[in-house]
């Protein structure tokens, strides 16, 4: 059945018919994984193993991944950084591009790599209810026969870095978005992981180590090493596939030269240390030393400034190694005195793309706050993102002419025209660093401010137009109190989410969605959207047509999940009227006493008692506390 559905789709997506790399991923639980050697836990793996296998694809091929969900919750797979060439229903973002794969069913993801023009270092991960935190994540490498720096290195390795939790994501999320955590302190990782791969396989642990049986085929942390040969040059692809922590990465006794960031080849840039936020990737060239008398330490230290506190029982720093000789000792140099943040704005792409003047500017101001339900949430432009009832791509496909209505997609949505040049001015009102990722595009980094509300041009410089070749990437970190202006050309019709890639922040609402050229989406989708996408929505009771709330209307959003909302500070309307009533009653009482006194009259104890009883009865009829709390029935 799936063959009949997919053959027309593959023909449309891969006109060159150069080839299709086909993978079968059975998403399963794997018990008793213990990669950090500290705690056995259940993880989400592929085909009964963990970590999921690295994916390496030629740029001459399309990628077809059959993902079967055999866990007890909805699953998706997002190929991070891929354009998908106007087929955003393959993007894997639950609530935006699909409903989620029900347990026991299969979604066939087609990634048209051979027509995307993309090359470099990416990754694949679950994009539904935070499941990648529990392990559904792997490197994704696109190899071109005409690599920019292909003649400059002898071999390559991929370095995967991530934070690691001993509790599963649902429990962590429940504790995070909770009235017991009104300040919004994120779950702190229990440890960090570093592991290596080459040619589609993970490197084994160093000889003589005793890793946990379930993950014994892979070397982690101090049991992981890169085999170097003297004089050779290596390309190291470095990926942060964690949920929260950024990393600082460096190698003792070796120099690094950046040649790629997020799939963008750049002019060589020497660097002593890399700062790598969640979801970011870099490639560096490292030339081996000419002697084998010593092995050398590789450092990956978590950025603990992002943590609410650093518990005394965790070690945020991981040390792996480069091995020249198994008989040599490991050299670890003195700790660094300070960390250095990589200035990605200064990187220069090899392929020149001048900045085109913008036609539309969208300002996105975000922060966090304790809301009216007592939980802490993120918001952008005063709106907390909640996934719509109907995924945005299905609204775009089904609304006809109404698909151009921005209101139809919910208050966290922006409809943009094909060919528009968009400036996103993203302002960080929080004190922490936030890595923002835009699906379906790379963004030019046009401007940065370290303090976006400052009048000091050294802190908040003006944007300079006419830039010849600004840096482009798909994930950009924004420092606390700062801002960044990101520019992209809206030339990829589809529904695309823009979100903080700290998983806890996405779950708390730090996202918006862009719907590019909705009428063109409809035109280009004819005969290309697989039937199983709609069938899986029906299987879990999710509507597949209408606006964000499932209505055949551009404006009726009744039933759309919204909120929570800001707390109303000061007096509420009911409180004001209650206090006014109290004051009025007091004034009347005083005037009554004065009048009785003036008239020489007195109020007996029986009369006072009768008045009190009448007031109590009146309160009972109205409800307790001046009507602010209603009687339970």
């Amino acid at each position: 059945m799936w063959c009949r559905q997919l053959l027309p789709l593959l023909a449309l997506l891969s006109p060159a018919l150069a080839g299709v790399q086909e993978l079968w991923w059975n998403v399963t639980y794997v018990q008793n994984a213990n990669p950090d050697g500290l705690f056995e836990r259940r993880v989400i793996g592929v085909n009964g193993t963990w970590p999921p296998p690295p994916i390496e694809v030629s740029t001459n091929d399309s990628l077809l991944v059959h993902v079967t969900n055999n866990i007890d919750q909805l699953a998706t797979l997002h190929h991070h950084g891929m354009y998908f060439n106007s087929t955003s229903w393959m993007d894997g973002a639950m609530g935006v591009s699909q409903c989620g794969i029900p347990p026991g069913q299969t979604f066939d993801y087609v990634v048209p790599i051979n027509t995307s023009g993309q090359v470099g270092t990416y990754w694949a991960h679950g994009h539904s209810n935070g499941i990648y935190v529990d392990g559904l994540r792997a490197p994704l490498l696109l190899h071109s026969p005409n690599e920019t720096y292909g003649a400059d290195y002898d071999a390559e390795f991929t370095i995967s870095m991530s934070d690691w939790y001993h509790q599963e994501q649902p429990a962590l999320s429940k504790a995070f978005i909770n009235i017991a955590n009104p300040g919004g302190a994120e779950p702190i990782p229990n440890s960090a992981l570093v592991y290596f791969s080459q040619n589609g396989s993970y490197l084994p642990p160093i000889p003589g180590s005793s890793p946990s049986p379930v993950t014994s085929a892979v070397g982690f942390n101090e049991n992981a090493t890169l085999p170097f040969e003297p004089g050779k040059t290596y390309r190291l692809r470095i990926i942060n596939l964690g949920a929260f922590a950024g990393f600082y990465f460096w190698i003792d006794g070796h120099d690094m030269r950046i040649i790629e960031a997020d799939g963008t080849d750049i002019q060589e840039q020497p660097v002593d240390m890399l700062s790598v936020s969640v979801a970011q990737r870099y490639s560096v060239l490292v030339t081996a030393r000419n002697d084998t008398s010593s092995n050398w330490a590789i450092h990956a230290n978590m950025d603990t400034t992002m943590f609410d506190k650093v518990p005394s029982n965790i070690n945020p720093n991981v040390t792996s190694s480069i091995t020249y000789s198994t008989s040599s000792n490991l050299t670890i140099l003195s700790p660094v005195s300070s960390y250095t943040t990589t200035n990605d704005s200064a990187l220069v792409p090899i392929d020149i793309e001048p900045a085109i003047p913008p036609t539309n500017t969208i300002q996105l101001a975000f922060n966090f706050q304790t809301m009216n339900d007592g939980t802490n949430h993120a918001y952008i432009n005063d709106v907390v993102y909640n996934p719509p009832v109907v995924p945005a791509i299905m609204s775009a496909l089904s609304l006809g002419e109404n698909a151009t209505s921005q209101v139809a997609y919910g208050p966290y949505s922006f409809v943009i025209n094909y060919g528009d040049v968009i400036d996103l001015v993203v302002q960080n009102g929080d004190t922490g660093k936030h890595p923002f990722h835009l699906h379906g595009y790379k963004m030019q980094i046009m401007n940065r401010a370290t303090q976006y509300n400052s009048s000091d041009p050294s802190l908040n410089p003006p944007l300079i137009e006419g830039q010849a070749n600004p840096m482009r990437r798909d994930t950009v970190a924004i420092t606390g109190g700062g801002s960044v202006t990101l520019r992209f050309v809206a030339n990829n019709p589809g529904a695309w989410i823009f979100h903080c890639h700290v998983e806890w922040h996405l779950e708390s609402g730090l996202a918006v969605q862009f719907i590019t050229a909705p009428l063109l989406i409809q035109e280009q989708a004819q005969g290309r959207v697989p039937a199983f996408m709609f069938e899986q929505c029906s299987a879990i009771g999710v509507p597949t047509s209408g606006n964000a709330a499932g209505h055949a209307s551009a404006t009726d959003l009744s039933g759309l999940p919204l909120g929570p909302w800001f707390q109303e500070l000061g007096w509420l309307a009911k409180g004001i009227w209650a206090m006014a009533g109290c004051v009025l009653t007091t004034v009347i009482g005083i005037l009554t006493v004065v009048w009785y006194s003036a008239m020489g009259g007195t109020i007996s104890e029986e009369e006072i008692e009768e008045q009190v009883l009448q007031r109590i009865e009146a309160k009972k009829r109205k409800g307790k506390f001046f009507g602010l709390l209603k009687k339970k029935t």
Side-chain angles (χ1 to χ4, degrees), residues 95 364 380 383-390 392 406 408-414 498 509 511-515 548-549 560-562:
L364 302 173
I380 297 179
V383 176
V384 176
Y385 175 81
N386 289 272
V389 175
V390 177
Q406 184 165 291
Y409 299 93
Y412 35 70
S413 306
F414 298 87
F498 178 65
V512 295
Q513 59 186 15
F514 297 103
I515 297 85
L560 181 68
L562 295 171

PDB file of all heavy atoms in Angstrom, residues 95 364 380 383-390 392 406 408-414 498 509 511-515 548-549 560-562:
ATOM      1  N   GLY A  95       1.963  19.238  15.334  1.00  0.00           N
ATOM      2  CA  GLY A  95       1.117  20.397  15.538  1.00  0.00           C
ATOM      3  C   GLY A  95       1.279  21.465  14.479  1.00  0.00           C
ATOM      4  O   GLY A  95       0.440  22.356  14.368  1.00  0.00           O
ATOM      5  N   LEU A 364       9.664  40.433  17.407  1.00  0.00           N
ATOM      6  CA  LEU A 364       9.274  39.365  18.332  1.00  0.00           C
ATOM      7  C   LEU A 364       9.977  39.599  19.657  1.00  0.00           C
ATOM      8  O   LEU A 364      11.191  39.385  19.778  1.00  0.00           O
ATOM      9  CB  LEU A 364       9.660  37.992  17.758  1.00  0.00           C
ATOM     10  CG  LEU A 364       9.074  37.626  16.383  1.00  0.00           C
ATOM     11  CD1 LEU A 364       9.683  36.328  15.881  1.00  0.00           C
ATOM     12  CD2 LEU A 364       7.551  37.515  16.458  1.00  0.00           C
ATOM     13  N   ILE A 380       5.791  35.218  23.496  1.00  0.00           N
ATOM     14  CA  ILE A 380       6.320  36.093  22.455  1.00  0.00           C
ATOM     15  C   ILE A 380       5.219  37.069  22.079  1.00  0.00           C
ATOM     16  O   ILE A 380       4.097  36.662  21.761  1.00  0.00           O
ATOM     17  CB  ILE A 380       6.760  35.293  21.213  1.00  0.00           C
ATOM     18  CG1 ILE A 380       7.904  34.334  21.579  1.00  0.00           C
ATOM     19  CG2 ILE A 380       7.198  36.235  20.092  1.00  0.00           C
ATOM     20  CD1 ILE A 380       8.386  33.483  20.411  1.00  0.00           C
ATOM     21  N   VAL A 383       1.998  36.466  23.887  1.00  0.00           N
ATOM     22  CA  VAL A 383       1.202  35.275  23.580  1.00  0.00           C
ATOM     23  C   VAL A 383       2.015  34.024  23.890  1.00  0.00           C
ATOM     24  O   VAL A 383       3.154  33.889  23.435  1.00  0.00           O
ATOM     25  CB  VAL A 383       0.757  35.258  22.110  1.00  0.00           C
ATOM     26  CG1 VAL A 383       0.013  33.965  21.788  1.00  0.00           C
ATOM     27  CG2 VAL A 383      -0.132  36.461  21.802  1.00  0.00           C
ATOM     28  N   VAL A 384       1.412  33.107  24.650  1.00  0.00           N
ATOM     29  CA  VAL A 384       2.008  31.801  24.915  1.00  0.00           C
ATOM     30  C   VAL A 384       1.626  30.867  23.766  1.00  0.00           C
ATOM     31  O   VAL A 384       0.445  30.725  23.439  1.00  0.00           O
ATOM     32  CB  VAL A 384       1.503  31.219  26.250  1.00  0.00           C
ATOM     33  CG1 VAL A 384       2.060  29.807  26.487  1.00  0.00           C
ATOM     34  CG2 VAL A 384       1.886  32.134  27.412  1.00  0.00           C
ATOM     35  N   TYR A 385       2.629  30.221  23.160  1.00  0.00           N
ATOM     36  CA  TYR A 385       2.330  29.301  22.065  1.00  0.00           C
ATOM     37  C   TYR A 385       1.741  28.000  22.605  1.00  0.00           C
ATOM     38  O   TYR A 385       2.309  27.355  23.488  1.00  0.00           O
ATOM     39  CB  TYR A 385       3.589  28.976  21.257  1.00  0.00           C
ATOM     40  CG  TYR A 385       3.363  27.926  20.187  1.00  0.00           C
ATOM     41  CD1 TYR A 385       2.794  28.271  18.968  1.00  0.00           C
ATOM     42  CD2 TYR A 385       3.698  26.593  20.411  1.00  0.00           C
ATOM     43  CE1 TYR A 385       2.570  27.318  17.992  1.00  0.00           C
ATOM     44  CE2 TYR A 385       3.470  25.629  19.445  1.00  0.00           C
ATOM     45  CZ  TYR A 385       2.913  25.989  18.235  1.00  0.00           C
ATOM     46  OH  TYR A 385       2.691  25.037  17.278  1.00  0.00           O
ATOM     47  N   ASN A 386       0.581  27.638  22.066  1.00  0.00           N
ATOM     48  CA  ASN A 386      -0.026  26.327  22.286  1.00  0.00           C
ATOM     49  C   ASN A 386      -0.235  25.694  20.920  1.00  0.00           C
ATOM     50  O   ASN A 386      -0.725  26.365  19.997  1.00  0.00           O
ATOM     51  CB  ASN A 386      -1.390  26.436  22.980  1.00  0.00           C
ATOM     52  CG  ASN A 386      -1.273  26.860  24.427  1.00  0.00           C
ATOM     53  OD1 ASN A 386      -1.126  26.049  25.320  1.00  0.00           O
ATOM     54  ND2 ASN A 386      -1.328  28.183  24.658  1.00  0.00           N
ATOM     55  N   PRO A 387       0.091  24.425  20.734  1.00  0.00           N
ATOM     56  CA  PRO A 387      -0.158  23.809  19.420  1.00  0.00           C
ATOM     57  C   PRO A 387      -1.623  23.919  19.042  1.00  0.00           C
ATOM     58  O   PRO A 387      -2.515  23.716  19.876  1.00  0.00           O
ATOM     59  CB  PRO A 387       0.252  22.351  19.631  1.00  0.00           C
ATOM     60  CG  PRO A 387       1.216  22.386  20.785  1.00  0.00           C
ATOM     61  CD  PRO A 387       0.734  23.493  21.673  1.00  0.00           C
ATOM     62  N   PRO A 388      -1.923  24.262  17.794  1.00  0.00           N
ATOM     63  CA  PRO A 388      -3.315  24.388  17.371  1.00  0.00           C
ATOM     64  C   PRO A 388      -3.998  23.027  17.337  1.00  0.00           C
ATOM     65  O   PRO A 388      -3.343  21.974  17.354  1.00  0.00           O
ATOM     66  CB  PRO A 388      -3.203  24.992  15.968  1.00  0.00           C
ATOM     67  CG  PRO A 388      -1.852  24.580  15.490  1.00  0.00           C
ATOM     68  CD  PRO A 388      -0.976  24.558  16.710  1.00  0.00           C
ATOM     69  N   VAL A 389      -5.315  23.038  17.244  1.00  0.00           N
ATOM     70  CA  VAL A 389      -6.065  21.793  17.109  1.00  0.00           C
ATOM     71  C   VAL A 389      -5.753  21.140  15.772  1.00  0.00           C
ATOM     72  O   VAL A 389      -5.498  19.930  15.688  1.00  0.00           O
ATOM     73  CB  VAL A 389      -7.582  22.059  17.245  1.00  0.00           C
ATOM     74  CG1 VAL A 389      -8.373  20.784  16.985  1.00  0.00           C
ATOM     75  CG2 VAL A 389      -7.900  22.616  18.623  1.00  0.00           C
ATOM     76  N   VAL A 390      -5.763  21.937  14.710  1.00  0.00           N
ATOM     77  CA  VAL A 390      -5.443  21.459  13.366  1.00  0.00           C
ATOM     78  C   VAL A 390      -4.030  21.925  13.022  1.00  0.00           C
ATOM     79  O   VAL A 390      -3.733  23.120  13.123  1.00  0.00           O
ATOM     80  CB  VAL A 390      -6.442  22.016  12.324  1.00  0.00           C
ATOM     81  CG1 VAL A 390      -6.059  21.588  10.914  1.00  0.00           C
ATOM     82  CG2 VAL A 390      -7.850  21.555  12.651  1.00  0.00           C
ATOM     83  N   ALA A 392      -0.965  23.497  11.229  1.00  0.00           N
ATOM     84  CA  ALA A 392      -1.030  24.669  10.358  1.00  0.00           C
ATOM     85  C   ALA A 392      -0.988  24.301   8.882  1.00  0.00           C
ATOM     86  O   ALA A 392      -1.672  24.924   8.053  1.00  0.00           O
ATOM     87  CB  ALA A 392       0.110  25.626  10.695  1.00  0.00           C
ATOM     88  N   GLN A 406      -4.430  35.605   8.349  1.00  0.00           N
ATOM     89  CA  GLN A 406      -3.509  35.343   9.448  1.00  0.00           C
ATOM     90  C   GLN A 406      -4.246  34.905  10.707  1.00  0.00           C
ATOM     91  O   GLN A 406      -3.782  34.044  11.453  1.00  0.00           O
ATOM     92  CB  GLN A 406      -2.672  36.601   9.731  1.00  0.00           C
ATOM     93  CG  GLN A 406      -1.609  36.414  10.797  1.00  0.00           C
ATOM     94  CD  GLN A 406      -0.603  37.548  10.776  1.00  0.00           C
ATOM     95  OE1 GLN A 406       0.182  37.669   9.838  1.00  0.00           O
ATOM     96  NE2 GLN A 406      -0.613  38.380  11.797  1.00  0.00           N
ATOM     97  N   ALA A 408      -6.726  33.036  11.002  1.00  0.00           N
ATOM     98  CA  ALA A 408      -7.177  31.653  10.938  1.00  0.00           C
ATOM     99  C   ALA A 408      -6.209  30.677  11.588  1.00  0.00           C
ATOM    100  O   ALA A 408      -6.601  29.578  11.994  1.00  0.00           O
ATOM    101  CB  ALA A 408      -7.414  31.244   9.484  1.00  0.00           C
ATOM    102  N   TYR A 409      -4.945  31.048  11.706  1.00  0.00           N
ATOM    103  CA  TYR A 409      -3.933  30.125  12.216  1.00  0.00           C
ATOM    104  C   TYR A 409      -3.643  30.301  13.703  1.00  0.00           C
ATOM    105  O   TYR A 409      -2.804  29.592  14.250  1.00  0.00           O
ATOM    106  CB  TYR A 409      -2.636  30.297  11.423  1.00  0.00           C
ATOM    107  CG  TYR A 409      -2.793  30.003   9.949  1.00  0.00           C
ATOM    108  CD1 TYR A 409      -3.081  31.032   9.051  1.00  0.00           C
ATOM    109  CD2 TYR A 409      -2.678  28.714   9.457  1.00  0.00           C
ATOM    110  CE1 TYR A 409      -3.241  30.778   7.693  1.00  0.00           C
ATOM    111  CE2 TYR A 409      -2.841  28.450   8.097  1.00  0.00           C
ATOM    112  CZ  TYR A 409      -3.121  29.486   7.226  1.00  0.00           C
ATOM    113  OH  TYR A 409      -3.280  29.231   5.896  1.00  0.00           O
ATOM    114  N   GLY A 410      -4.313  31.240  14.355  1.00  0.00           N
ATOM    115  CA  GLY A 410      -4.086  31.468  15.770  1.00  0.00           C
ATOM    116  C   GLY A 410      -3.231  32.695  16.010  1.00  0.00           C
ATOM    117  O   GLY A 410      -2.531  33.179  15.108  1.00  0.00           O
ATOM    118  N   PRO A 411      -3.240  33.213  17.248  1.00  0.00           N
ATOM    119  CA  PRO A 411      -2.594  34.501  17.533  1.00  0.00           C
ATOM    120  C   PRO A 411      -1.073  34.457  17.541  1.00  0.00           C
ATOM    121  O   PRO A 411      -0.437  35.490  17.699  1.00  0.00           O
ATOM    122  CB  PRO A 411      -3.137  34.844  18.930  1.00  0.00           C
ATOM    123  CG  PRO A 411      -3.457  33.526  19.551  1.00  0.00           C
ATOM    124  CD  PRO A 411      -3.938  32.663  18.423  1.00  0.00           C
ATOM    125  N   TYR A 412      -0.496  33.297  17.394  1.00  0.00           N
ATOM    126  CA  TYR A 412       0.967  33.132  17.387  1.00  0.00           C
ATOM    127  C   TYR A 412       1.476  32.917  15.963  1.00  0.00           C
ATOM    128  O   TYR A 412       2.556  32.356  15.770  1.00  0.00           O
ATOM    129  CB  TYR A 412       1.348  31.931  18.251  1.00  0.00           C
ATOM    130  CG  TYR A 412       0.332  30.809  18.181  1.00  0.00           C
ATOM    131  CD1 TYR A 412       0.177  30.052  17.033  1.00  0.00           C
ATOM    132  CD2 TYR A 412      -0.527  30.569  19.245  1.00  0.00           C
ATOM    133  CE1 TYR A 412      -0.778  29.067  16.941  1.00  0.00           C
ATOM    134  CE2 TYR A 412      -1.502  29.575  19.174  1.00  0.00           C
ATOM    135  CZ  TYR A 412      -1.619  28.831  18.010  1.00  0.00           C
ATOM    136  OH  TYR A 412      -2.585  27.854  17.924  1.00  0.00           O
ATOM    137  N   SER A 413       0.706  33.342  14.967  1.00  0.00           N
ATOM    138  CA  SER A 413       1.001  33.004  13.575  1.00  0.00           C
ATOM    139  C   SER A 413       1.202  34.257  12.723  1.00  0.00           C
ATOM    140  O   SER A 413       0.634  35.314  13.006  1.00  0.00           O
ATOM    141  CB  SER A 413      -0.143  32.166  12.980  1.00  0.00           C
ATOM    142  OG  SER A 413      -0.416  31.033  13.775  1.00  0.00           O
ATOM    143  N   PHE A 414       2.006  34.085  11.665  1.00  0.00           N
ATOM    144  CA  PHE A 414       2.250  35.155  10.709  1.00  0.00           C
ATOM    145  C   PHE A 414       2.147  34.567   9.309  1.00  0.00           C
ATOM    146  O   PHE A 414       2.829  33.583   8.982  1.00  0.00           O
ATOM    147  CB  PHE A 414       3.637  35.769  10.908  1.00  0.00           C
ATOM    148  CG  PHE A 414       3.830  36.420  12.249  1.00  0.00           C
ATOM    149  CD1 PHE A 414       4.250  35.668  13.337  1.00  0.00           C
ATOM    150  CD2 PHE A 414       3.576  37.769  12.427  1.00  0.00           C
ATOM    151  CE1 PHE A 414       4.430  36.252  14.579  1.00  0.00           C
ATOM    152  CE2 PHE A 414       3.749  38.372  13.666  1.00  0.00           C
ATOM    153  CZ  PHE A 414       4.174  37.605  14.749  1.00  0.00           C
ATOM    154  N   PHE A 498       9.084  28.636  14.291  1.00  0.00           N
ATOM    155  CA  PHE A 498      10.278  29.360  14.749  1.00  0.00           C
ATOM    156  C   PHE A 498      10.250  29.288  16.259  1.00  0.00           C
ATOM    157  O   PHE A 498       9.313  29.781  16.891  1.00  0.00           O
ATOM    158  CB  PHE A 498      10.226  30.808  14.253  1.00  0.00           C
ATOM    159  CG  PHE A 498      11.379  31.673  14.699  1.00  0.00           C
ATOM    160  CD1 PHE A 498      12.671  31.411  14.281  1.00  0.00           C
ATOM    161  CD2 PHE A 498      11.163  32.768  15.533  1.00  0.00           C
ATOM    162  CE1 PHE A 498      13.737  32.224  14.673  1.00  0.00           C
ATOM    163  CE2 PHE A 498      12.212  33.583  15.930  1.00  0.00           C
ATOM    164  CZ  PHE A 498      13.506  33.312  15.504  1.00  0.00           C
ATOM    165  N   GLY A 509       6.044  27.427  25.727  1.00  0.00           N
ATOM    166  CA  GLY A 509       5.362  28.369  24.850  1.00  0.00           C
ATOM    167  C   GLY A 509       6.217  29.317  24.048  1.00  0.00           C
ATOM    168  O   GLY A 509       5.694  30.280  23.480  1.00  0.00           O
ATOM    169  N   ALA A 511       7.488  30.041  21.036  1.00  0.00           N
ATOM    170  CA  ALA A 511       7.446  29.724  19.608  1.00  0.00           C
ATOM    171  C   ALA A 511       6.405  30.583  18.906  1.00  0.00           C
ATOM    172  O   ALA A 511       5.454  31.073  19.524  1.00  0.00           O
ATOM    173  CB  ALA A 511       7.131  28.246  19.391  1.00  0.00           C
ATOM    174  N   VAL A 512       6.595  30.750  17.605  1.00  0.00           N
ATOM    175  CA  VAL A 512       5.574  31.286  16.693  1.00  0.00           C
ATOM    176  C   VAL A 512       5.636  30.431  15.434  1.00  0.00           C
ATOM    177  O   VAL A 512       6.533  29.595  15.274  1.00  0.00           O
ATOM    178  CB  VAL A 512       5.792  32.773  16.335  1.00  0.00           C
ATOM    179  CG1 VAL A 512       5.645  33.666  17.559  1.00  0.00           C
ATOM    180  CG2 VAL A 512       7.164  32.966  15.679  1.00  0.00           C
ATOM    181  N   GLN A 513       4.685  30.627  14.538  1.00  0.00           N
ATOM    182  CA  GLN A 513       4.732  29.887  13.275  1.00  0.00           C
ATOM    183  C   GLN A 513       4.504  30.834  12.100  1.00  0.00           C
ATOM    184  O   GLN A 513       3.760  31.808  12.194  1.00  0.00           O
ATOM    185  CB  GLN A 513       3.727  28.737  13.261  1.00  0.00           C
ATOM    186  CG  GLN A 513       2.274  29.127  13.466  1.00  0.00           C
ATOM    187  CD  GLN A 513       1.357  27.910  13.580  1.00  0.00           C
ATOM    188  OE1 GLN A 513       1.790  26.789  13.785  1.00  0.00           O
ATOM    189  NE2 GLN A 513       0.056  28.146  13.457  1.00  0.00           N
ATOM    190  N   PHE A 514       5.192  30.517  11.004  1.00  0.00           N
ATOM    191  CA  PHE A 514       5.081  31.294   9.770  1.00  0.00           C
ATOM    192  C   PHE A 514       4.426  30.426   8.708  1.00  0.00           C
ATOM    193  O   PHE A 514       4.813  29.264   8.518  1.00  0.00           O
ATOM    194  CB  PHE A 514       6.453  31.760   9.298  1.00  0.00           C
ATOM    195  CG  PHE A 514       7.142  32.690  10.246  1.00  0.00           C
ATOM    196  CD1 PHE A 514       8.171  32.245  11.063  1.00  0.00           C
ATOM    197  CD2 PHE A 514       6.747  34.018  10.351  1.00  0.00           C
ATOM    198  CE1 PHE A 514       8.807  33.094  11.954  1.00  0.00           C
ATOM    199  CE2 PHE A 514       7.368  34.877  11.236  1.00  0.00           C
ATOM    200  CZ  PHE A 514       8.397  34.418  12.044  1.00  0.00           C
ATOM    201  N   ILE A 515       3.454  30.986   8.018  1.00  0.00           N
ATOM    202  CA  ILE A 515       2.816  30.301   6.900  1.00  0.00           C
ATOM    203  C   ILE A 515       3.173  31.083   5.649  1.00  0.00           C
ATOM    204  O   ILE A 515       2.706  32.203   5.434  1.00  0.00           O
ATOM    205  CB  ILE A 515       1.286  30.196   7.089  1.00  0.00           C
ATOM    206  CG1 ILE A 515       0.952  29.344   8.315  1.00  0.00           C
ATOM    207  CG2 ILE A 515       0.651  29.552   5.860  1.00  0.00           C
ATOM    208  CD1 ILE A 515       0.944  30.086   9.631  1.00  0.00           C
ATOM    209  N   ALA A 548      -7.295  26.947  12.779  1.00  0.00           N
ATOM    210  CA  ALA A 548      -6.519  26.367  13.881  1.00  0.00           C
ATOM    211  C   ALA A 548      -7.385  25.645  14.889  1.00  0.00           C
ATOM    212  O   ALA A 548      -6.934  24.703  15.553  1.00  0.00           O
ATOM    213  CB  ALA A 548      -5.717  27.472  14.574  1.00  0.00           C
ATOM    214  N   ALA A 549      -8.642  26.052  15.011  1.00  0.00           N
ATOM    215  CA  ALA A 549      -9.563  25.418  15.949  1.00  0.00           C
ATOM    216  C   ALA A 549     -10.418  24.348  15.289  1.00  0.00           C
ATOM    217  O   ALA A 549     -11.268  23.736  15.946  1.00  0.00           O
ATOM    218  CB  ALA A 549     -10.460  26.477  16.592  1.00  0.00           C
ATOM    219  N   LEU A 560     -10.069  26.862  20.551  1.00  0.00           N
ATOM    220  CA  LEU A 560      -8.623  26.837  20.361  1.00  0.00           C
ATOM    221  C   LEU A 560      -7.916  26.934  21.713  1.00  0.00           C
ATOM    222  O   LEU A 560      -8.207  27.828  22.508  1.00  0.00           O
ATOM    223  CB  LEU A 560      -8.189  28.011  19.481  1.00  0.00           C
ATOM    224  CG  LEU A 560      -6.692  28.107  19.168  1.00  0.00           C
ATOM    225  CD1 LEU A 560      -6.264  26.950  18.274  1.00  0.00           C
ATOM    226  CD2 LEU A 560      -6.363  29.443  18.515  1.00  0.00           C
ATOM    227  N   PRO A 561      -6.992  26.034  22.014  1.00  0.00           N
ATOM    228  CA  PRO A 561      -6.249  26.137  23.283  1.00  0.00           C
ATOM    229  C   PRO A 561      -5.447  27.433  23.341  1.00  0.00           C
ATOM    230  O   PRO A 561      -4.645  27.707  22.448  1.00  0.00           O
ATOM    231  CB  PRO A 561      -5.326  24.916  23.258  1.00  0.00           C
ATOM    232  CG  PRO A 561      -5.934  23.972  22.272  1.00  0.00           C
ATOM    233  CD  PRO A 561      -6.597  24.832  21.245  1.00  0.00           C
ATOM    234  N   LEU A 562      -5.681  28.225  24.382  1.00  0.00           N
ATOM    235  CA  LEU A 562      -4.988  29.492  24.563  1.00  0.00           C
ATOM    236  C   LEU A 562      -4.581  29.647  26.022  1.00  0.00           C
ATOM    237  O   LEU A 562      -5.118  28.980  26.904  1.00  0.00           O
ATOM    238  CB  LEU A 562      -5.881  30.668  24.145  1.00  0.00           C
ATOM    239  CG  LEU A 562      -6.278  30.757  22.667  1.00  0.00           C
ATOM    240  CD1 LEU A 562      -7.326  31.844  22.465  1.00  0.00           C
ATOM    241  CD2 LEU A 562      -5.053  31.024  21.798  1.00  0.00           C
TER     242      LEU A 562
END
